[in-house]
Amino acid sequence: MRLDLSGRTALVTGSTQGIGAAIALGLARAGARVAVNGRGADKVTKAIEQLTTEVPDAQVVPVVADLASEQGARDAVDQLPRADILVNNLGIFNSADPLEITDDEWRRYFEVNVLAAVRLTRAYLPGMTERGWGRVQYIASDSAIVIPAEMIHYGMSKTALLGVSRGFAKAAAGTGVTVNAVIAGPTHTGGVEDFVYQLVDRNLPWDEAQKEFMRVHRPQSLLQRLIEPEEIANMVVYLSSPQASATTGAAVRVDGGYVDSIVP
């Protein structure tokens, strides 16, 4: 199957590292013009340099904006007035004692992980529906379904994204635009390495630390390893393609079998 996104413009939020960077790279390899987003110009420039090293003929544009605010969303749209593909990847996570999470922290997780995606969907979805083609995706998490005791504020925000995704899919019904959520399982990124070492012995080498984390904290994973960002990106690129035209309103799992269910 050849996934050809030539002529399409994609915005991937939070795409200077981790899953977002892998998604931006995958979309560029499929021929899309890709907007790389981050809060700082230096990080965005570095990410674009890394991407174009992998795909020398890639069309890549910077979108420097802090999407955790209304002004940041406006800044992004000013820099990229049109997007055919919107991948809402931006997110924050951390472990915390559930009884110690403050009101401000609850609000911050909702603002960054949910409202940032809602604002951009409101901005770009009308243009997609008018043109009769578009793809909107939300990077959710297994934590949306299996709420981790050590980060229920994060799990809450990802559960909300599933509802947001399904609702906007209904809003786009019959327009040629698809809206989906991707349920990512425990994934190997730099941020996740830091998170793992919050929960296991910091003196353990990474391979041992990863195994201990999966054994103790994610024992239901059928992969029994962390997922690589490229494995998430592969699903996102497919859902962005014309071949995925009949998949909408879905929560598609790339979770390594972590969620113990035959349906999402």
Side-chain angles (χ1 to χ4, degrees):
M1 183 183 297
R2 184 173 184 271
L3 305 180
D4 185 2
L5 295 174
S6 301
R8 305 297 186 185
T9 295
L11 170 59
V12 184
T13 67
S15 48
T16 60
Q17 60 186 357
I19 293 173
I23 292 171
L25 177 60
L27 291 169
R29 282 177 170 154
R33 174 176 176 254
V34 179
V36 172
N37 161 251
R39 290 181 296 174
D42 290 346
K43 289 192 71 173
V44 170
T45 298
K46 183 178 179 181
I48 290 175
E49 289 173 351
Q50 292 173 338
L51 191 156
T52 52
T53 297
E54 296 285 337
V55 187
D57 60 347
Q59 300 178 64
V60 190
V61 296
V63 173
V64 180
D66 182 355
L67 299 177
S69 69
E70 293 180 62
Q71 183 58 52
R74 288 192 289 268
D75 291 343
V77 175
D78 286 344
Q79 294 169 69
L80 190 76
R82 167 177 169 160
D84 305 297
I85 299 164
L86 171 62
V87 182
N88 293 292
N89 167 75
L90 175 67
I92 55 175
F93 65 94
N94 203 356
S95 60
D97 183 329
L99 300 180
E100 299 296 327
I101 303 170
T102 65
D103 287 0
D104 284 344
E105 193 71 346
W106 278 103
R107 294 187 189 99
R108 185 169 79 97
Y109 269 74
F110 192 78
E111 187 85 24
V112 176
N113 290 1
V114 183
L115 279 183
V118 169
R119 292 185 188 111
L120 290 179
T121 303
R122 285 199 309 247
Y124 290 113
L125 185 59
M128 295 180 188
T129 57
E130 287 172 11
R131 294 187 296 272
W133 197 95
R135 301 287 185 262
V136 179
Q137 295 179 55
Y138 303 86
I139 304 305
S141 166
D142 56 79
S143 296
I145 302 169
V146 186
I147 304 292
E150 73 277 4
M151 49 179 187
I152 62 174
H153 51 338
Y154 171 76
M156 169 280 302
S157 69
K158 293 301 184 177
T159 305
L161 277 186
L162 298 184
V164 166
S165 176
R166 180 69 182 179
F168 277 120
K170 291 181 178 181
T175 66
V177 178
T178 66
V179 184
N180 294 289
V182 174
I183 299 177
T187 305
H188 181 199
T189 65
V192 167
E193 287 191 18
D194 293 338
F195 173 67
V196 167
Y197 277 120
Q198 290 178 20
L199 300 174
V200 303
D201 186 352
R202 287 187 175 274
N203 295 317
L204 287 174
W206 169 245
D207 285 347
E208 293 181 28
Q210 175 183 185
K211 290 177 183 178
E212 180 70 4
F213 171 76
M214 298 302 288
R215 184 183 69 81
V216 175
H217 297 282
R218 302 292 186 269
Q220 56 269 64
S221 168
L222 301 183
L223 278 186
Q224 299 183 3
R225 64 166 173 82
L226 290 173
I227 298 164
E228 293 302 320
E230 294 77 12
E231 294 175 295
I232 308 297
N234 290 339
M235 179 61 75
V236 173
V237 174
Y238 167 69
L239 290 174
S240 300
S241 73
Q243 284 89 335
S245 56
T247 303
T248 191
V252 181
R253 289 166 50 188
V254 191
D255 67 341
Y258 177 81
V259 177
D260 191 9
S261 172
I262 59 174
V263 294

